[in-house]
Amino acid sequence: QVQLVESGGELVQAGDSLRLSCTASGRTFSMGWFRQAPGKEREFVSAIIWSTGNTYYGEFMKDQFTISGDNAQKTIFLQMTNLKPDDTAVYFCVGDPSGWGRRAVNWDYWGQGTQVTVSS
């Protein structure tokens, strides 16, 4: 079982930028991010496929979020810009040994989550 450890979540002001990091304990085919706001379902944010370098984003996410990573370091980043109160959520790092997808069930490995709070 691969362990994922996120970091970088904090309280910020609207309009601020923030970068999240996640490191995996082992190799994966893909890694990515989901988020879950209070009272809402988990939402796909972004994913990266190591073999191709292809990146994918959830609906409307690409304007604000950029995923990047270092396969050798088994680490991904989520650069978030122009943050809004609606971006307040727990952000989960995810990984999978063989695939990826926009649904939570597509991912085998989950981190504990890191809280991002955006105040207005």
Side-chain angles (χ1 to χ4, degrees):
Q1 182 77 3
V2 172
Q3 307 296 321
L4 303 174
V5 179
E6 307 103 329
S7 63
E10 62 180 84
L11 171 64
V12 297
Q13 301 288 322
D16 283 354
S17 298
L18 192 63
R19 189 176 82 156
L20 305 181
S21 303
C22 174
T23 298
S25 63
R27 293 293 177 193
T28 60
F29 173 81
S30 58
M31 291 179 69
W33 297 93
F34 277 73
R35 69 180 184 183
Q36 186 167 23
K40 295 187 177 181
E41 294 184 356
R42 289 189 182 185
E43 179 181 30
F44 174 71
V45 176
S46 186
I48 185 166
I49 312 303
W50 291 125
S51 60
T52 61
N54 288 346
T55 58
Y56 302 90
Y57 292 89
E59 189 175 17
F60 307 123
M61 300 290 182
K62 198 169 186 179
D63 292 340
Q64 276 185 272
F65 302 142
T66 302
I67 191 170
S68 62
D70 183 334
N71 194 8
Q73 298 297 321
K74 296 172 286 186
T75 298
I76 60 169
F77 306 97
L78 185 68
Q79 181 68 46
M80 305 185 290
T81 61
N82 191 26
L83 286 163
K84 304 175 179 61
D86 283 349
D87 295 316
T88 295
V90 177
Y91 284 72
F92 294 93
C93 179
V94 295
D96 198 85
S98 59
W100 77 282
R102 297 174 186 273
R103 300 166 61 209
V105 295
N106 296 135
W107 298 86
D108 280 358
Y109 311 134
W110 287 78
Q112 294 288 329
T114 185
Q115 177 71 48
V116 174
T117 303
V118 185
S119 65
S120 58

